[in-house]
């Protein structure tokens, strides 16, 4: 996966989360430009992401269980190109209240 074209890592994240969580809403933001010059930054970006996901798969799960689920789905990306991942993981009911 290293040194792939821009947008490939984001697309893989979207695909894995869609397949693993069947989200009602999914927003993936590449925050890499905010970390230029820091460790693990790549010229093409795709090293630092924010993931906002709404899924019924989070029902009955604690915040840490939700984060572990997302991290498990993205384990390959986190082991390679992705250095940082901020996660917002809500159930549809929680998202409706926000």
């Amino acid at each position: 996966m290293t040194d792939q074209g821009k947008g490939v890592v984001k697309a893989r994240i979207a695909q894995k989360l869609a397949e693993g969580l069947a989200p009602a809403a999914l927003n993936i933001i590449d925050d890499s430009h905010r970390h230029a010059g820091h460790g693990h930054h790549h010229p093409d970006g795709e090293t630092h992401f924010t993931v906002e996901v709404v899924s019924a798969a989070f029902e009955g799960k604690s915040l840490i269980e939700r984060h572990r689920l997302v991290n498990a789905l993205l384990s390959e990306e986190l082991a390679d190109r992705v250095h940082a991942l901020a996660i917002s993981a809500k159930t549809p009911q929680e998202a409706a209240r926000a």
Side-chain angles (χ1 to χ4, degrees):
M1 188 170 68
T2 303
D3 294 326
Q4 293 183 4
K6 191 133 173 88
V8 173
V9 178
K10 184 175 179 178
R12 284 181 58 139
I13 290 171
Q15 178 182 0
K16 288 184 176 187
L17 294 179
E19 290 172 359
L21 300 173
L26 178 60
N27 187 27
I28 303 166
I29 304 156
D30 185 348
D31 294 319
S32 303
H33 66 282
R34 302 163 110 201
H35 302 276
H38 296 161
H40 301 281
H41 181 265
H42 191 277
D44 290 334
E46 299 203 277
T47 56
H48 297 70
F49 288 93
T50 296
V51 171
E52 301 166 342
V53 61
V54 177
S55 175
F58 298 137
E59 296 285 346
K61 291 184 172 39
S62 70
L63 182 61
I64 192 73
E65 290 171 320
R66 296 173 189 196
H67 283 224
R68 285 179 178 154
L69 180 55
V70 171
N71 285 334
L73 290 168
L74 303 178
S75 62
E76 289 179 62
E77 289 72 22
L78 289 166
D80 186 22
R81 179 78 170 259
V82 177
H83 172 69
L85 183 66
I87 303 168
S88 171
K90 297 180 180 180
T91 66
Q93 295 78 15
E94 292 167 340
R97 288 192 299 258

